[in-house]
């Protein structure tokens, strides 16, 4: 802390300023205060000196032990009482070492002159050595008075320019040379490195009786990131772009651009432009683009060279290379005549951001070439870079295009945030605080990494803490379900050929759009909505809205369309219906691949390469394909109905889980309450079979009277209304909560309501439906769930008539798990046998007989009695189950086995048993699939003439032999 005596002050007061860089004190030209702070004039009781400091910083002045007999001292002051908790030292807070003489605002100090610390700059006395004011002076450090050396601080320079202490554009007196040493002007310390001179400068200040306090102070300081050596701030002569004169045009041009996300433009960039200052474009380096400025020694003649041709013409020399070492020797004669010498190029090179900002025209060598091309394509459609370029590339692009063309440099801008390490720190090669990118790609694939980043906060210009586990989640939640849907298509397309049908060829789109199946209609509509949405959002460069929509679509495709359509896709509803379902899935997968190709280029290419095999004339690569066009209409009522259906299924599952009622346990009834009669018609009509099967409930009861099973109440959505209503929120919230039920129903129907002068929409108010249980019914017997839109009520009471269906589902469930455990593919043909292990086997077999139709539909084949298994059957797997719905049983899986009509075979050979046995042995030795193919080619008949010493016979399928045991019993209808 250093004193600066105030000239003509009646009390002989001095300003106390502070600095952490003593080497800048010889260059002091001004003192800066804050106009809004309160300052005090105080007198020291110990030495009688009068200081001026900010009132809030008075405690930072030193406390000295007063001497006896001094004008302001008192002998009693040396004996200070100990305070509670002290260790014998003097308590600073209990000492009043200064008398306050006066208080005043900082604004009253502006303009006061003071005595400089050194005389090195006395020629500036007329304009310098006075008090100025600025808001960068704060009350949380120092003395509230900052010493200003304009050559060594950005704020110092700005404040001194603003207050005319120095003049912008004129040569700034620089007392430190390029090596960081004081110049001859600083006579007492000339040639000394500034940091090494600190102690001597402090000593010189002390000898002048101007030192108030010195000590150590820890604070942030700039270091060279290459050498880890301390840096100094030092003004250097620079060439500038006069941005301040362009500011109004810049602000106008930015209005013509669209930024994604918009807040980067409206807040961050707008604020930066409003405070834009002239841009220093020169750098003191060797490598770089040389500034094309030639100047005379006296600085009078300045020529800015516009082209190589101009430089050659003015200098008379041939120019082949524009690097410094090839042109620095070139001179230009002075336009004032030979007596004024020559012009030489300034030593500086361009700031590399000047070159980056010149990209739109420089990369095509405009204006020397491609002028027509440039005129047609400028401004560019979009640029994309990180948030840190707001004050970098985005800024320089805009400054140069405004200065040159009075246009923005781009129409649209996409700004991303920064990718940080998992701990929130910057990724550092030195610290290695991030996983290797190649390790992530090798483990999970480039597409998973790409999609993880695209679907993260980083595309909304927010930071992302990168987690490798997040990439794995993308694989698990996106790519595996997506690939499973594709694999399901391929497996079932191949199954058609395995079962002897014609190869799969997808039906045309027009035929599929007219499909009568509700889920076909739904997925076709959802696909069109997807294409429309992606086109709309990508046109607006809103990447962050597209990917979540795409991911939701894939989730619906796998978990709704494929899952609910398995019977159709597996051919259990007939070949024609199967081909329609497979074709629909094919076109949806193809369209989704084309939509996702920009986001997951490798994965979609793999799928497309296989999908195109059944489509004539398709492009060789998905990246040669045009982006899908919208065909037909999307977003119709069926999409809303299916979405509501899934909501109903979720609610019903929640109710089951609460009451420990697994899906395998059939329930009698589900009641749906909703005011929309059309929606209820959809659920109880074309969507009914999916709801019943998925929830294992026997009936759905629709109810469009919202008050029969529920009471309604309205809740304001504070997150939506809070900002909009402000002080009116409390009044509106009270009125909304007090709305009668009939008013709530009217509001739902009308879609809006006016409360306290504010028009509220459906999105502003949440309608809560609370279940009103019928009299005499307990929660264990009937329960409900609601999301405020639809109310789902489940009747949980046991019904003996449903026991048989429940047991059948349990058996089917065990069979499917055993198939999976045995690693069987869906196309693998197996036969399933059931063996009761109960004392009375008739009960379980009787139940299975009654549920025969359901089991056959679920398995795609009949469930056979174990007693009928042929001795030649090849068993794949078997497992025993205990106490399943109070039954014990065994399930056996075997390869498909031939079953002979022995009487018919004997008849072929006129009763010769030896010949009949020889035919059976021959047929059993044949490959099952090849035998099937031969029967198909022969329209159910083959000629066997290759058995030695045995006559040729025609064997008829279904008469003499059956390809499976199931086929045999299906024909005889004598299974159980």
């Amino acid at each position: 802390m250093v004193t600066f005596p105030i000239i003509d002050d009646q009390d002989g007061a001095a300003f106390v300023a502070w600095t952490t860089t003593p080497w800048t004190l010889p260059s002091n030209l001004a003192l800066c205060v804050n106009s809004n702070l309160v300052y005090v004039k105080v007198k020291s009781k110990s030495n009688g000196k009068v200081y001026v400091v900010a009132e809030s910083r008075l405690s930072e002045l030193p406390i000295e032990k007063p001497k006896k007999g001094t004008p302001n001292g008192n002998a009693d002051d040396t004996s200070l009482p100990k305070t509670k908790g002290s260790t014998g030292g003097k308590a600073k807070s209990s000492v009043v070492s200064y008398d306050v003489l006066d208080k005043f605002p900082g604004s009253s100090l502006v303009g006061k002159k003071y005595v400089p610390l050194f005389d090195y700059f006395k020629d500036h006395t007329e304009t310098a050595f006075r008090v100025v004011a600025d808001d960068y002076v704060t009350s949380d450090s120092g003395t509230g008075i900052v010493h200003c050396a304009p050559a060594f601080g950005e704020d110092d320079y700005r404040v001194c320019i603003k207050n005319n202490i120095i003049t912008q554009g004129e040569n700034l007196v620089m007392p430190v040379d390029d090596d960081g040493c004081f110049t001859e002007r600083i006579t007492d310390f000339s040639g000394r490195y500034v940091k090494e001179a600190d102690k001597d400068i402090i000593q010189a200040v002390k000898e002048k009786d101007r030192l108030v306090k010195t000590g150590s102070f820890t604070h942030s300081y700039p270091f060279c990131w290459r050498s880890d050596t301390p840096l100094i701030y030092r003004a250097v002569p620079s060439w500038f772009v006069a941005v301040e004169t362009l500011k109004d045009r810049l602000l106008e041009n930015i209005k013509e651009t669209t930024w994604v996300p918009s807040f980067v433009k409206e807040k961050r960039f707008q604020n930066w432009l409003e405070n834009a200052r002239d841009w220093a474009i020169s750098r003191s380096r060797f490598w770089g683009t040389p500034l094309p400025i030639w100047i005379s020694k006296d600085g009078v003649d300045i020529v800015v060279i516009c082209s190589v041709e101009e430089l050659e013409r003015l200098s008379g020399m041939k120019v082949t290379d524009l690097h410094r070492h090839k042109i620095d020797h070139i001179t230009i004669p002075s336009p004032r005549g030979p007596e004024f010498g020559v012009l030489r190029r300034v030593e500086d090179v361009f700031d590399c951001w000047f070159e980056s900002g010149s990209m739109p025209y420089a990369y095509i060598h405009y204006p020397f070439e491609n002028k027509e091309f440039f005129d047609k394509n400028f401004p560019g459609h979009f640029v994309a870079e990180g948030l840190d370029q707001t004050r970098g590339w985005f800024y320089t692009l805009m400054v140069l295009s405004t200065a040159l063309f009075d246009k923005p440099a781009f129409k649209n801008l996409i700004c991303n945030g920064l990718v940080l390490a998992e701990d929130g720190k910057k990724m550092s090669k030195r610290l290695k605080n991030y996983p290797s990118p190649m390790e992530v790609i090798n483990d999970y694939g480039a597409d998973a990494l790409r999609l993880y980043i695209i679907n993260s906060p980083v595309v909304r210009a927010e930071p992302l803490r990168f987690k490798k586990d997040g990439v794995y989640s993308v694989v698990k939640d996106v790519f595996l379900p997506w690939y499973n849907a594709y694999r399901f298509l391929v497996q079932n397309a191949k199954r058609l050929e395995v079962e002897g049908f014609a190869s799969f060829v997808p039906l045309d789109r027009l035929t599929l759009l007219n499909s009568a199946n509700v889920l076909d209609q739904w997925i076709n509509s959802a696909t069109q909505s997807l294409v429309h949405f992606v086109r709309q959002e990508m046109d607006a460069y809103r990447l962050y809205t597209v990917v979540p929509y795409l991911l939701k679509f894939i989730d619906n495709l796998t978990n709704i369309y494929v899952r609910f359509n398995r019977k159709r896709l597996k051919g259990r509803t007939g070949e024609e219906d199967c081909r329609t379902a497979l074709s629909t899935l094919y076109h949806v997968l193809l369209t989704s691949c084309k939509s996702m190709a920009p986001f997951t280029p490798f994965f979609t290419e793999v799928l497309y390469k296989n999908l195109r095999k059944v489509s004539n004339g398709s492009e060789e690569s998905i990246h040669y394909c045009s982006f899908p066009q919208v065909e037909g209409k999307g977003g119709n009522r069926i999409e809303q109905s299916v979405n509501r259906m899934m909501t109903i299924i979720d609610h019903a599952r929640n109710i089951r889980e609460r009451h420990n009622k697994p899906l395998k346990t059939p329930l009698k009834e589900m009641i749906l309450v909703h005011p929309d009669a059309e929606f209820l018609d959809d659920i109880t009509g074309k969507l009914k079979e999916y709801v019943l099967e998925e929830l294992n409930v026997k009936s759905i009861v629709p109810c469009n009277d919202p008050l029969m099973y529920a009471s309604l109440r309205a809740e304001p959505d504070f997150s939506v209304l809070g900002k909009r209503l402000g002080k009116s929120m409390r009044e509106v919230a009270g009125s909304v909560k007090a709305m009668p039920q009939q008013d709530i129903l009217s509001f739902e129907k009308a879609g809006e309501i006016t409360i306290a002068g504010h028009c509220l929409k459906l999105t502003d108010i949440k309608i809560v439906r609370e279940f009103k249980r019928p009299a005499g019914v307990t929660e264990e017997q009937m329960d409900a769930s609601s999301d405020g839109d639809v109310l789902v009520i489940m009747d949980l009471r046991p019904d003996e008539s449903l026991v048989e269906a429940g047991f059948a589902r349990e058996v089917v469930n065990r069979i499917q798990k055993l198939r999976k455990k045995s690693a069987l593919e869906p196309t693998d043909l197996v036969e399933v046998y059931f063996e009761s292990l109960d004392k009375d086997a008739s009960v379980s077999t009787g139940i299975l007989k009654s549920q025969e139709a359901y089991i056959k539909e679920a398995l795609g084949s009949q469930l056979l009695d174990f007693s009928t298994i042929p001795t030649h059957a090849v068993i794949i797997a078997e497992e025993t189950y205990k106490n399943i719905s109070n039954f014990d049983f065994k399930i056996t899986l075997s390869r498909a086995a031939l079953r002979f009509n022995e009487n018919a075979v004997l008849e072929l050979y006129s009763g010769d048993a030896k010949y009949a046995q020889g035919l059976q042995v021959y047929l059993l030795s044949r490959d099952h699939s090849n035998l099937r193919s031969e029967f198909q080619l022969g329209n159910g008949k083959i000629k066997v003439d290759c058995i030695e010493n045995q006559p040729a016979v025609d064997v008829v399928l279904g008469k003499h032999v059956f390809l499976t045991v199931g086929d045999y019993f299906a024909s005889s209808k004598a299974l159980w």
Side-chain angles (χ1 to χ4, degrees):
M1 292 185 186
V2 181
T3 59
F4 293 86
I6 305 171
I7 293 175
D8 297 331
D9 186 83
Q10 61 183 9
D11 299 309
F15 295 116
V16 180
W18 80 300
T19 181
T20 57
T21 52
W23 61 268
T24 62
L25 286 172
S27 306
N28 171 266
L29 291 183
L31 297 177
C32 191
V33 299
N34 188 317
S35 296
N36 300 314
L37 294 182
V38 174
Y39 289 79
V40 290
K41 182 187 285 188
V42 296
K43 187 173 185 179
S44 171
K45 291 183 178 181
S46 61
N47 56 26
K49 291 181 179 179
V50 180
Y51 301 136
V52 173
V53 295
E55 183 179 32
S56 59
R57 307 305 299 167
L58 179 58
S59 61
E60 294 302 309
L61 291 178
I63 299 171
E64 299 180 14
K65 184 177 180 180
K67 299 177 182 178
K68 291 184 179 180
T70 57
N72 298 292
N74 188 302
D76 294 337
D77 289 341
T78 61
S79 180
L80 298 171
K82 294 180 181 179
T83 58
K84 186 177 180 181
S86 73
T87 57
K90 294 178 182 178
K92 186 174 179 180
S93 60
S94 66
V95 179
V96 180
S97 297
Y98 296 92
D99 289 324
V100 177
L101 304 181
D102 197 4
K103 284 187 184 182
F104 34 79
S107 56
S108 66
L109 299 174
V110 175
K112 288 187 178 294
K113 300 281 285 185
Y114 62 86
V115 178
L117 193 58
F118 296 96
D119 294 331
Y120 308 131
F121 293 94
K122 58 185 177 183
D123 53 324
H124 285 67
T125 302
E126 201 171 310
T127 57
F129 310 123
R130 56 189 170 89
V131 177
V132 296
D134 195 84
D135 290 341
Y136 88 93
V137 179
T138 63
S139 61
D140 55 6
S141 61
T143 63
I145 302 175
V146 177
H147 116 82
C148 296
F152 306 112
E154 185 180 2
D155 284 317
D156 304 43
Y157 182 80
R158 175 180 56 80
V159 167
C160 288
I161 290 285
K162 178 182 173 183
N163 290 277
N164 300 315
I165 290 171
I166 58 175
T167 304
Q168 185 171 0
E170 292 186 0
N171 286 334
L172 181 65
V173 176
M174 177 53 62
V176 175
D177 63 21
D178 291 346
D179 294 321
C181 299
F182 284 116
T183 62
E184 293 179 357
R185 181 159 190 162
I186 311 300
T187 53
D188 299 312
F189 309 103
S190 176
R192 298 280 302 278
Y193 175 57
V194 293
K195 297 293 287 184
E196 293 175 357
D198 272 351
K199 290 183 179 179
D200 291 337
I201 291 172
I202 294 172
Q203 183 60 35
V205 172
K206 187 175 183 180
E207 290 171 0
K208 291 174 179 287
D209 197 26
R210 302 279 287 271
L211 183 66
V212 176
K213 183 180 179 181
T214 184
S216 297
F217 180 72
T218 303
H219 63 104
S220 61
Y221 192 85
F223 279 74
C224 173
W225 62 271
R226 287 189 177 91
S227 63
D228 277 338
T229 53
L231 302 173
I232 65 170
Y233 282 107
R234 172 179 173 271
V236 294
S238 296
W239 292 88
F240 290 83
V241 171
V243 175
E244 291 173 28
T245 63
L246 301 172
K247 188 184 300 183
D248 292 341
R249 288 161 63 196
L250 278 168
L251 290 170
E252 284 302 312
N253 283 338
I254 196 65
K255 293 177 183 177
E256 298 177 23
T257 61
T258 300
W259 291 46
V260 179
S262 58
F263 77 85
V264 180
K265 167 188 170 181
E266 294 164 0
K267 295 180 180 177
R268 192 180 177 97
F269 194 70
Q270 183 87 7
N271 294 342
W272 176 250
L273 281 186
E274 287 173 353
N275 296 287
R277 280 172 273 171
D278 292 343
W279 169 23
I281 59 167
S282 58
R283 296 292 182 269
S284 299
R285 296 170 185 156
F286 183 81
W287 294 113
T289 301
L291 283 180
I293 301 173
W294 268 253
I295 190 169
S296 61
K297 189 174 183 179
D298 59 10
V300 174
D301 300 320
I302 299 176
V303 176
V304 180
I305 302 297
C306 299
S307 66
V308 171
E309 185 275 330
E310 183 182 10
L311 179 57
E312 290 179 339
R313 178 170 51 81
L314 293 177
S315 67
M317 297 181 67
K318 184 68 178 174
V319 178
T320 58
D321 190 325
L322 292 177
H323 287 94
R324 278 193 61 177
H325 58 295
K326 295 291 186 178
I327 63 170
D328 277 1
H329 65 282
I330 296 176
T331 60
I332 296 174
S334 172
R336 289 179 289 165
E339 66 273 20
F340 291 98
V342 294
L343 281 61
R344 297 185 181 276
R345 197 191 73 81
V346 298
E347 291 188 346
D348 299 307
V349 298
F350 271 114
D351 172 11
C352 62
W353 288 112
F354 188 95
E355 298 169 273
S356 300
S358 305
M359 178 276 298
Y361 6 98
Y363 87 102
I364 56 170
H365 204 211
Y366 174 89
F368 306 104
E369 299 176 62
N370 303 305
K371 188 175 187 306
E372 185 179 350
F373 174 82
F374 174 78
D375 291 339
K376 286 181 179 179
N377 293 281
F378 185 80
H381 281 211
F382 83 97
V383 296
E385 250 294 357
L387 186 66
D388 54 334
Q389 296 305 322
T390 306
R391 299 172 183 180
W393 191 47
F394 300 155
Y395 175 70
T396 58
L397 280 171
M398 191 63 67
V399 167
L400 293 178
S401 65
T402 297
L404 294 171
F405 307 103
D406 198 19
K407 289 181 181 179
F410 46 82
K411 297 175 183 177
N412 301 281
L413 182 148
I414 302 174
C415 186
N416 60 267
L418 301 179
V419 181
L420 307 175
E422 190 170 346
D423 58 6
K425 297 179 181 177
K426 282 188 176 182
M427 289 187 175
S428 165
K429 285 184 283 188
R430 180 168 59 87
L431 298 176
K432 295 183 179 178
N433 59 345
Y434 58 89
S436 162
M438 292 313 301
E439 174 190 319
V440 177
I441 291 173
N442 290 335
D443 287 352
Y444 303 126
D447 280 348
L449 176 58
R450 180 193 298 257
L451 208 59
Y452 167 70
I453 294 174
I454 288 175
N455 196 36
S456 74
V458 82
V459 296
R460 300 190 299 273
E462 298 170 12
L464 163 67
R465 292 189 176 193
F466 184 89
K467 296 181 181 178
K468 188 177 177 182
D469 288 347
V471 185
Y472 168 70
S473 296
V474 171
V475 175
K476 179 170 61 73
D477 299 336
V478 179
F479 289 104
L480 286 181
W482 192 1
Y483 182 77
N484 284 337
Y486 157 79
R487 187 177 65 170
F488 195 75
L489 167 68
V490 173
Q491 288 171 340
N492 286 286
K494 288 171 65 178
R495 180 189 51 75
L496 288 173
E497 297 180 36
V498 171
E499 294 181 357
F501 299 106
S503 299
F504 170 71
V505 176
L507 302 175
D508 64 272
R509 292 284 294 141
L510 185 61
T511 302
L512 296 177
L513 290 173
N514 294 322
S515 171
N517 181 273
V518 64
L519 287 187
D520 287 352
Q521 296 169 9
W522 165 72
I523 198 64
N524 283 326
S525 175
T527 303
Q528 296 313 306
S529 294
L530 166 73
V531 173
H532 173 75
F533 181 82
V534 173
R535 278 187 163 277
Q536 170 187 290
E537 295 302 289
M538 291 298 282
D539 284 345
Y541 298 93
R542 287 189 288 267
L543 191 67
Y544 51 88
T545 64
V546 172
V547 175
Y549 193 101
L550 286 165
L551 300 186
K552 181 62 179 174
F553 175 82
I554 291 170
D555 180 62
N556 287 340
L557 174 65
T558 55
N559 288 324
I560 300 178
Y561 186 77
V562 173
R563 186 159 171 238
F564 288 5
N565 254 339
R566 278 182 175 154
K567 286 186 292 186
R568 295 177 66 222
L569 293 164
K570 289 181 176 181
R572 295 176 191 165
T573 56
E575 182 188 356
E576 184 180 347
D577 196 32
C578 173
R579 290 185 182 275
T580 300
L582 288 174
S583 298
T584 299
L585 179 57
Y586 173 88
H587 283 290
V588 169
L589 281 170
L590 187 62
T591 303
S592 65
C593 282
K594 289 179 180 178
S595 299
M596 284 290 279
F599 310 100
T600 55
F602 303 111
F603 183 82
T604 52
E605 178 75 344
V606 172
L607 266 57
Y608 177 79
K609 288 282 190 184
N610 202 19
L611 292 172
R612 69 182 288 269
K613 291 177 182 178
V614 293
S615 179
N616 294 328
S618 58
E619 297 285 358
E620 182 181 346
S621 166
I622 195 168
H623 303 299
Y624 295 164
C625 299
S626 298
F627 197 83
Q629 296 288 338
V630 179
E631 300 172 1
K633 293 183 178 178
N636 56 24
R637 197 184 94 206
I638 191 60
E639 288 187 58
Q640 185 182 38
S641 291
V642 171
N643 290 338
R644 280 174 168 169
M645 177 185 76
M646 295 309 297
T647 301
I648 290 167
I649 290 171
D650 287 340
H651 284 307
R653 284 175 179 162
N654 291 337
I655 296 170
R656 278 182 172 275
E657 287 177 11
R658 282 204 301 267
H659 295 274
N660 197 24
K661 299 279 186 182
L663 279 170
K664 292 185 289 293
T665 302
L667 296 176
K668 182 180 179 182
E669 188 176 85
M670 176 173 69
I671 303 169
L672 296 181
V673 183
H674 197 276
D676 187 345
E678 286 185 339
F679 161 63
L680 293 176
D681 288 344
D682 286 343
I683 295 296
T684 56
K686 49 192 175 184
L687 294 173
K688 181 179 180 180
E689 63 172 302
Y690 303 109
V691 178
L692 294 179
E693 183 175 350
E694 185 66 20
L695 296 177
N696 194 12
V697 64
K698 290 304 172 185
S699 66
I700 302 173
V701 177
C703 175
N704 64 354
D705 181 356
L707 301 180
M708 180 176 289
Y709 291 98
S711 57
L712 305 183
R713 61 184 175 84
E715 289 284 347
D717 191 332
F718 288 94
S719 63
V720 174
L721 294 174
K723 294 179 181 177
R724 201 169 87 209
L725 300 184
K727 295 180 179 179
S728 303
M729 185 67 218
R730 177 176 291 185
E731 180 185 359
V732 171
S735 300
V736 168
K737 291 178 179 179
M739 285 174 66
Q741 295 196 106
Q742 289 300 328
D743 288 359
I744 294 175
L745 292 174
S746 300
F747 164 65
E748 277 193 311
K749 189 173 182 180
E752 63 179 44
I753 189 172
T754 301
I755 297 177
H758 297 278
C759 181
L760 306 183
K761 306 288 185 181
L762 289 172
T763 53
D764 299 326
I765 298 177
K766 297 176 182 177
I767 307 301
V768 181
R769 287 174 164 78
E770 295 177 336
F771 178 43
K772 189 168 63 179
R773 194 171 284 106
V777 178
T778 66
E779 183 180 346
E780 296 302 316
Q781 295 174 322
M782 186 178 284
D783 203 359
S785 180
S786 174
D787 61 350
D789 179 40
V790 62
L791 177 66
V792 178
I793 305 168
M794 299 291 287
D795 190 335
L796 303 170
R797 289 171 286 196
D799 188 328
E800 291 302 321
S801 65
L802 302 178
V803 172
E804 293 181 356
F807 177 58
R809 285 181 77 101
E810 292 282 8
V811 171
V812 168
N813 177 261
R814 297 317 188 274
I815 292 169
Q816 302 289 33
K817 286 182 177 178
L818 187 57
R819 280 185 66 103
K820 190 173 184 180
K821 185 178 178 182
S822 305
L824 291 170
E825 294 291 332
T827 53
D828 290 338
L829 187 61
V830 297
E831 297 197 280
V832 188
Y833 294 90
F834 176 89
E835 181 183 3
S836 174
L837 302 178
D838 298 319
K839 289 182 180 180
D840 184 2
S842 63
V843 178
S844 59
T845 53
I847 291 174
L848 295 179
K849 185 175 182 180
S850 69
Q851 298 293 317
E852 185 176 356
Y854 160 73
I855 294 172
K856 185 175 182 180
E857 184 180 28
L859 297 179
S861 63
Q862 288 180 299
L863 181 62
L864 304 169
D865 191 309
F866 187 73
S867 63
T868 66
I869 190 170
T871 55
H872 56 263
V874 178
I875 294 176
I876 300 169
E878 57 184 7
E879 196 159 326
T880 300
Y881 303 95
K882 296 287 188 180
N883 197 30
I884 306 299
S885 298
N886 299 319
F887 295 106
D888 298 340
F889 56 90
K890 183 172 74 172
I891 298 295
T892 302
L893 303 180
S894 80
R895 295 289 179 197
L898 300 180
R899 178 75 183 231
F900 298 99
N901 183 341
E902 294 182 355
N903 292 330
V905 173
L906 272 171
E907 197 176 310
L908 269 175
Y909 295 102
S910 303
D912 190 319
K914 184 179 178 182
Y915 287 167
Q917 186 179 8
L919 177 65
Q920 291 183 40
V921 170
Y922 166 73
L923 292 176
L924 287 172
S925 70
R926 295 291 310 279
D927 179 79
H928 193 277
S929 60
N930 289 340
L931 195 59
R932 176 189 290 272
S933 298
E934 288 182 22
F935 274 117
Q936 289 170 347
L937 290 171
N939 292 321
K941 182 191 291 187
I942 63 172
K943 189 177 189 70
V944 178
D945 57 3
C946 58
I947 304 175
E948 190 175 355
N949 300 322
Q950 213 169 289
V953 291
D954 289 329
V955 180
V956 179
L957 187 66
K959 179 180 179 182
H960 304 112
V961 67
F962 297 86
L963 290 174
T964 69
V965 176
D967 290 346
Y968 171 74
F969 284 109
S971 66
S972 64
K973 301 191 182 298
L975 177 57
W976 298 94

